[in-house]
Amino acid sequence: MSSRLSFNLLGRYYQRNYQAIYGKAFGENTRNNNEAGIYAGFECKPVNNISLSGYLDVFSFPWITYGADMPSSGRDFMMQLNVSPSNRLQMYVQFRNKNKEQNDSTGTEPKNQIDRAISKRLRYNLIYTVNEHIIWRNRLETTWYNTDISNVTKGYYLGQGIEIIPGKLPLKVYLQYALFDTDDYNSRIYAYESDLLGTFSIPVFSGKGSRTSIMLKYSPAKEADIWIKYGITQYTNTETIGTGLYEIEGNHKSEIKAELLLKF
């Protein structure tokens, strides 16, 4: 519409018997079939340091899906306010409300009944560049989940991260620490975490505990880069983690990763 206002409108319809093994078109489902919907988004910049964006996605599934044994529908709404008072400080507030019909297995009927699940999320994110050597990141998020017949469950997440770039050493240090507390798996929270080159880490936080990770990137020469990462998640409300062959005795789990990149 102008340099400060833009809109996006997208319609989609995928037949239930359509098959595209490598299809990655826009949609709510993992695969591009059995779906119809309309997506509308916008972005406006009333002043140079403030922007407001959001979208509304209304979708339906004409046939059964993985989580619903009959035709179902849903809506996904998001609004985000970005504020950048200076080149060193960027922050945003985001609210998201998503509801989607799914099976309700709590009833006494021989077949599943459709129930509407509602998930709400409120997030505050801040990035502050202290100087050319230190970048500080902070995130606070809370979530609410309920269905038409169940009570509301809640989740909280508070995470902080620091990126350190020493001036004279070819080294980068990434430190992250997070506290989380959720009532159940439905109120879980996802959070991005720095990881090795070529990998993408968004761990899920459910239960009550903390997460600590440290990653080092060392470049001894122009032809070589070395990454090393260690992370540990500690729970305060359980004595075992996982089930079956993946069960861990104790209230914590840890991992260590390493990667070497050689350039020829």
Side-chain angles (χ1 to χ4, degrees):
M1 303 294 291
S2 70
S3 61
R4 294 188 179 274
L5 180 63
S6 61
F7 288 97
N8 181 22
L9 183 64
L10 186 150
R12 62 193 186 273
Y13 174 71
Y14 311 125
Q15 292 182 333
R16 69 177 187 180
N17 58 346
Y18 176 68
Q19 299 293 330
I21 298 177
Y22 299 105
K24 297 296 181 182
F26 184 92
E28 174 69 17
N29 276 332
T30 304
R31 303 180 63 182
N32 297 139
N33 59 12
N34 184 36
E35 182 176 343
I38 296 178
Y39 170 96
F42 79 96
E43 182 180 17
C44 66
K45 299 179 180 179
V47 295
N48 292 333
N49 297 328
I50 298 177
S51 66
L52 180 66
S53 60
Y55 68 79
L56 174 64
D57 187 22
V58 181
F59 50 86
S60 64
F61 309 113
W63 193 240
I64 62 176
T65 62
Y66 172 77
D69 293 341
M70 61 186 71
S72 58
S73 63
R75 296 187 302 273
D76 188 2
F77 168 80
M78 191 276 288
M79 191 72 69
Q80 180 170 310
L81 176 65
N82 294 273
V83 181
S84 301
S86 66
N87 294 331
R88 291 188 173 186
L89 179 61
Q90 297 89 37
M91 52 187 171
Y92 71 81
V93 178
Q94 182 189 101
F95 174 75
R96 185 178 181 185
N97 185 325
K98 184 175 183 179
N99 67 76
K100 187 176 180 179
E101 291 178 323
Q102 62 183 22
N103 288 332
D104 173 27
S105 58
T106 60
T108 58
E109 298 293 331
K111 62 180 181 179
N112 287 327
Q113 302 295 311
I114 285 292
D115 191 16
R116 186 168 294 277
I118 303 172
S119 176
K120 300 178 182 179
R121 299 178 184 274
L122 180 62
R123 177 190 300 173
Y124 171 74
N125 193 85
L126 180 147
I127 301 176
Y128 180 61
T129 303
V130 180
N131 51 47
E132 60 182 358
H133 304 297
I134 299 176
I135 300 176
W136 179 53
R137 307 174 190 272
N138 187 287
R139 176 176 166 185
L140 174 64
E141 183 167 340
T142 181
T143 180
W144 303 266
Y145 177 90
N146 70 285
T147 64
D148 293 335
I149 60 175
S150 68
N151 296 326
V152 176
T153 59
K154 300 178 182 179
Y156 303 94
Y157 172 90
L158 174 61
Q160 292 189 345
I162 299 178
E163 181 179 339
I164 303 174
I165 307 174
K168 297 182 179 181
L169 296 176
L171 179 69
K172 288 185 179 180
V173 182
Y174 303 85
L175 298 171
Q176 291 183 259
Y177 180 75
L179 297 171
F180 59 91
D181 186 356
T182 69
D183 293 335
D184 56 15
Y185 185 73
N186 290 325
S187 56
R188 64 192 180 276
I189 295 176
Y190 295 88
Y192 172 80
E193 186 175 278
S194 300
D195 213 327
L196 308 183
L197 179 67
T199 60
F200 194 70
S201 178
I202 306 182
V204 56
F205 296 97
S206 177
K208 185 177 183 179
S210 64
R211 167 73 177 177
T212 305
S213 68
I214 178 173
M215 185 176 72
L216 306 177
K217 178 188 176 183
Y218 180 59
S219 302
K222 294 182 178 180
E223 298 79 13
D225 291 322
I226 302 173
W227 285 267
I228 299 177
K229 179 181 177 181
Y230 174 77
I232 181 171
T233 305
Q234 296 178 299
Y235 296 88
T236 59
N237 62 336
T238 183
E239 296 298 329
T240 59
I241 303 171
T243 59
L245 297 176
Y246 298 96
E247 183 173 299
I248 300 174
E249 292 291 340
N251 67 342
H252 68 276
K253 60 179 180 180
S254 59
E255 72 275 354
I256 185 170
K257 303 178 182 179
E259 183 176 0
L260 171 65
L261 174 64
L262 297 177
K263 306 172 186 178
F264 298 96

